Amino acid sequence: MACARVPLDEQQVTEPGPLGKERTLPALHPDRTEERCFVPYKPPPEDGSPADVEEFLEHARFITEDLEWLLALPHDKFWCQVVFDESLQRCLDSYLRHAPRGLDLSTLPSSPAVADMQRSIHKAVFLTFLRMATHKESKEHFFTPAVFGEIIYENFLFDIPKLLDLCVLFGKGNGQLLHKMIENIFTQQPSYYNDLDETVPTVLQVFDTILEKCGLQCEGATAAEPMKLNAHKKPTAMTMSQQELLDIILYLCDSTTTINAFLDIFPAACSSFQSHSFLSSLTSFYETGVPDLEKAIRKRNFDDKSLQEDLWKRLSHSCRKMVETVHLLLHHTCLQPILEGRENMQTFAEELLQYFTSFLPEKRFLTDYDEQFPVADDISLLQQAVPIIDETRTSYLLQGVESAWDSVGRRKPQSQIQTSQAQASASQSANQGPAPGAAASSLAGSKPQEVREPAEGESPRGAEAMLDVPQRGNNGAMCPVIGAELESLLSCIRDLLPDLGEGFLLECLKEYDYNSELVINDILEDRLAPSLAKLDRAMPRPVKEELPAVLNNRSNVFDGDEFDIFRREQVDMSRIWKGRRKGENVREMLNDKRHIAEQKARYHAYETVVDEVIVEPGESATAYELDDYDDEYDDTYDMNQVGANDLDGDSLLTRRPFTVPQVLRKANKEDEEDEDEDGQEEDASKGAVNRDQFVQDPAVLRERAEARRAAMQQRKGFRPERSSNVVGRPKGQGQTTETLLDRRKKETNKSRGANHNRRNMADRKRNKGMIPS
C-alpha cells in the first residue's frame, strides 16, 4: 500500500507478479497500465445521412465511456494510464485536431442526438485535460512539482500546439479554469517558454504563406534574393481555383481565432509574441492581404451563393480577431503596466505611442482598429496616468487617425464622434496635471475593452460560447443580469449540463454573482453551497408576473389637455414645433399688417366731428352721449358772491377779503410814468450791452458755461470726479492712496491719448479705406 503524504513519484506499491509472487514496483510503472484501446475521434457527418449518424453515435459512445472510465480511476492508476497508454494520447490528439470550431458548428447536422453526444465528448475531453494539468488533487494525492513538470514535458502530454487548440475549443466557456491550468503548466515547467519562443516564428510564417499563395509580397520584405523565372506565373486571389481560395480563408480564420484565444486566456505569452515583432507583421499582412481577399470574394463568380456568404463571414471574423489580437498585445505589454503603476511608466507610454505612430501608414488597419477600440480612449488614459506626455504628439496621432478615415472613404460612427468631442473638451482639464497617484487609483480597475460579436457573425452558443461576465457597480455589488445576457448564461450552462432545470440554474447564478464558470465547476465537482444542495435540480423557471401598466395609474397636472397624447387619439401637430417656428422670418413679420386692420375700427369713431347736435323733443341728451357740462363757460370772473351776505359766523369775507385781479385794476398816471421810465432805462442798458459786448470776453463765457454745467449736474445729482494728482508729495514724505491710484490709472490709460495710439488709429483708418494701402 502507498504511504500517506508521499508524492506519487516516490511511492512504491506491492502487487502479485506474473508467476504469482509479490513484487514491489514504483507507483508509475508500465506494468500497472490497464489493457484498453481508446479509439480516435471522428467529427460528425456533414451530410447527415442516417447510416453516418448511427456510425458517429456508436463511435462517440465508445470514446465517452472510455474517458469516463479513465476519470473514475484512482490517482495512481489514472497517471499510469495517461503516461504509458499511447492509444489515449492518440484519442485526445484526434479530438483537438478534428473537433469543430465555433464557425463550424453551424454546418453540423441539426440532430439532437448528435448534438448531445458531441457535448458529452467535449465535456469528457476537457475534464481529462484538466486532471492531467493538476499536480495536486488532494493532500494525499500529489506530485513533486519538479517531477510533474518533467513528466508532462518529456512524455509530450502537453505542448504549445495542444495548448493553442485547448484555448480555442474550451476557452469561451471555461476561461478562468484554462488560465489556471496553463499557468500551472508553465510554472511547473519553464521550458515551455522556450518552446513558445520557437513557435512564434512558425505562427508568423502563416501570414507569409498566405501572401505567397495570393501572389503578394509582404511590406518590408527585401529584394536581396533574385526573383525566380516562374514568379510571374503565380496565381492570385482572383485567378486561383475556388478550392484553393476556400483553403486559404479557412486557414486564416483558424489561425487568427486560435492565436487570439490563446493570448486572451494566457496574457503572459504576449511578451514572447512582441519580442518577434508580431505586431508589425500582423498589421502589414492586414493592410496587404485582406483587401485582396475581400476583392476576390466580392468579384468572383460562385456557383453556390451560400459558399460566398460563408467565405465573407469567415474573412470578416478573421479581421475582427486580428484587430482584437493587436489590442490584447498593446494592452498587456504597454497599457497594463501603466495602469498598475509599475516603474518606468514613461517608457511604456513612449512604447505605446511608438506603436500607434507605426500604425499611421496602415490606413485600412487603423480605421478598423479605431472602429472597435478608439485610439482616443487609449490616449486619454495615457494623459490621465502620465500627464507629462507631449500634447503635440498626441494631437498628431489623433489627426492621423482622422486622416486615415478620410483616405479610405469611410465615416466614423456618430457615437465615436461625440465621445471624441467630449474627450477633447475634457483633455484640457486633464492636461493641467492630476496627481499620478490619483490617476493610478482611478484607472487601476481598467480592463481591456471587449467586443461583442455581431448578430450575423456570432458563433452558436455551446462549448465555445461567449460569456459576458456582468460588471460591478460603484459600491462593489454585482449588478443583476437580465434579458439577453441572462439567457446567454443559461444557454451556456445548459449546453454542458442539459439535465438541470432553469430555475435551479437561476438560483445558482444568483448565489455565485452570475459567474457561470464557477457554477459549472462547483456543479461538476459537487461542491455547491448548502442552500443550493437542498434545491431540486430539475426545478423549472418561475413564471414572471406581468406588472400593471404605469400609464393607466399616472396622475399629472397636464392630464386631458390638448397635448395629452396618452388620452387623445389626435393632436394638432401644427401647434407643436422644435426651435424657431418654420417659415417665420423678420421680413414676413414686418410685412404682416393685420394689427393695423384690427385698429381701424377703433379709430374710425374719431373720423366724424359734429359741431351741433339737434335734440328732438321728447329725447334725452344721454341718447347722444351728451352731458350738461358746457366747456365754453368760465366762471373765473363771476361777480356773484354766493353766500357772501349769509348771517353765519364763518363768512368767506372774514377769512379772505375779495380783491380785484391786477389785470382789471385802473392804474394811476404816476405809476404808469414810473414804469415807462424804468422800461426805457432797461432798454437803454440792454442796448449798451449789446453794442459794447458784441464780442464777449471768453473768460466770462467760460465762467457762465461752468456755472450752467454745475447747476445742471447739481439738478441731476451728478458728483464730479476729483482732479487727478500724479505729482504727489516730494520724495521721502510718502504718497497718499489717491496719488498712487491716479498714477496707476494714468499708466493704464496713457495709450488712449497724445501720440501713444498712432499705430492703432492708423490701422483703423486703413481698414476702413481712409488710407490707401
Side-chain angles (χ1 to χ4, degrees), residues 394-409:
T394 57
S395 301
Y396 170 74
L397 287 176
L398 295 178
Q399 291 176 3
V401 174
E402 299 294 336
S403 175
W405 281 94
D406 296 338
S407 62
V408 298

Side-chain angles (χ1 to χ4, degrees), residues 4 46 112 127 150 201 209 212 247 253 291 306 318 324 364 433 499 601 620 636 646 649 704 754 768:
E46 296 182 1
L127 293 178
E150 185 178 354
T209 303
E212 184 180 357
D247 292 341
C253 182
S306 61
S318 304
E324 292 178 14
R364 169 63 190 278
D499 55 331
S620 175
T636 303
D646 293 345
R704 294 177 181 175
K768 291 187 176 183

